Amino acid sequence: MVLRIGHRGAAGHAPENTLASFRKAIELGLDMTELDVHVCASGELVVIHDENVDRTTNSKGWVSKLSLTELKRLDAGAGETVPTLAEVLDLLKDRIMLNIELKGLGTAEPVYKLIKETGWQNTNLTISSFNWESLTEYKQLDPDARIGVLTFRNHQEALEYAEANKAYSINPYHMLLKKKLVEQAHNKGFKVFPWTPNTVKDIQNEIKKGVDGVISDYPDRILHQE
Ligand code: G3P
Ligand code: MG
């Protein structure tokens, strides 16, 4: 079965990384959804993709320089606010699996603490990052965590890192993913979750490569296949 994984909630259907987007992911009956986290100036973990708020809100500024009170005043699209990770964990718990992408530096430890406080099970969670040091840090805090190694071009290094650090999955850029890498990853016991094909054709191409799940803004276009 190919897992249907929403990207930034289900970003093709609602403003990315907002509670509306995560509600949509639940409504679509997805297996999993993905989000990005940063730490804001007052120390809370907030769910937003970029280091600044310029692209996704009606304001400008660095997330790391804005307090949660300041961030909460912004419109993240369609009247939505920038959610905290705590809010999203509360909304999604026991409803859908989650892939937390550690985007900002210094997110591994606070994410780990919040996961333990909120009682999320590791089997419902993947921790992913392009910053593999953050993954190493998370794995040191929780050796049983499921780690997803995000990779753009450096596939062999990603496989080596995954082996050395007992990762759960390799998460490659879909356009550069070859069937051979899927086979290599499977032989070593890793799942493969490419991002972010959005057309039916591109999604089908990934499924033909034998991947275990697809991360998409339009996860409703991923047909479940045995
Ligand atoms: O986790 C997959 C995907 O989210 C990685 O790229 O830039 O959309 O966070 P990006
Ligand atoms: Mg992401």
Side-chain angles (χ1 to χ4, degrees):
M1 193 181 81
V2 176
L3 294 186
R4 298 158 82 221
I5 307 170
H7 184 231
R8 308 180 193 173
H13 298 282
E16 67 178 59
N17 282 326
T18 63
L19 291 182
S21 195
F22 297 112
R23 277 193 207 100
K24 190 69 193 178
I26 295 172
E27 196 186 304
L28 290 170
L30 306 181
D31 300 296
M32 184 185 279
T33 186
E34 185 260 4
L35 56 76
D36 309 281
V37 287
H38 287 269
V39 179
C40 70
S42 47
E44 292 85 357
L45 287 158
V46 288
V47 179
I48 187 165
H49 181 273
D50 301 351
E51 286 181 337
N52 61 58
V53 301
D54 305 12
R55 180 180 61 83
T56 56
T57 77
N58 58 343
S59 189
K60 285 189 190 304
W62 299 103
V63 175
S64 61
K65 300 260 196 266
L66 292 163
S67 68
L68 184 59
T69 311
E70 288 167 325
L71 283 168
K72 281 291 183 188
R73 289 194 196 114
L74 311 184
D75 187 337
E80 292 289 312
T81 61
V82 174
T84 62
L85 181 61
E87 288 172 318
V88 179
L89 288 174
D90 186 46
L91 173 68
L92 302 186
K93 190 165 182 227
D94 300 325
R95 295 195 172 98
I96 186 169
M97 293 190 287
L98 182 60
N99 172 350
I100 298 179
E101 183 182 344
L102 305 177
K103 198 61 106 176
L105 293 178
T107 47
E109 191 174 358
V111 167
Y112 166 75
K113 284 185 179 157
L114 192 56
I115 289 303
K116 294 302 153 194
E117 276 167 32
T118 51
W120 271 72
Q121 301 296 312
N122 281 340
T123 46
N124 289 328
L125 199 66
T126 303
I127 305 294
S128 63
S129 192
F130 287 104
N131 184 315
W132 300 347
E133 278 176 26
S134 296
L135 296 179
T136 305
E137 201 186 324
Y138 200 98
K139 196 80 174 168
Q140 277 163 358
L141 293 163
D142 186 352
D144 295 330
R146 289 181 172 184
I147 296 300
V149 185
L150 275 163
T151 166
F152 186 64
R153 285 187 192 283
N154 47 346
H155 295 157
Q156 292 312 314
E157 290 92 332
L159 277 178
E160 282 164 27
Y161 176 86
E163 266 196 299
N165 293 277
K166 297 189 168 54
Y168 180 71
S169 69
I170 306 280
N171 298 10
Y173 173 48
H174 75 104
M175 297 285 271
L176 297 181
L177 177 61
K178 297 270 187 296
K179 196 171 181 190
K180 185 155 186 290
L181 179 69
V182 179
E183 287 165 2
Q184 279 180 314
H186 283 167
N187 287 339
K188 293 178 190 293
F190 307 124
K191 306 276 187 199
V192 181
F193 300 121
W195 45 276
T196 310
N198 282 330
T199 64
V200 170
K201 188 168 168 247
D202 284 352
I203 290 168
Q204 284 303 117
N205 267 339
E206 295 312 298
I207 294 172
K208 278 187 211 143
K209 294 174 195 170
V211 302
D212 303 281
V214 174
I215 302 172
S216 177
D217 293 330
Y218 295 94
D220 46 316
R221 295 176 183 169
I222 308 163
L223 303 175
H224 261 149
Q225 313 213 344
E226 293 303 319

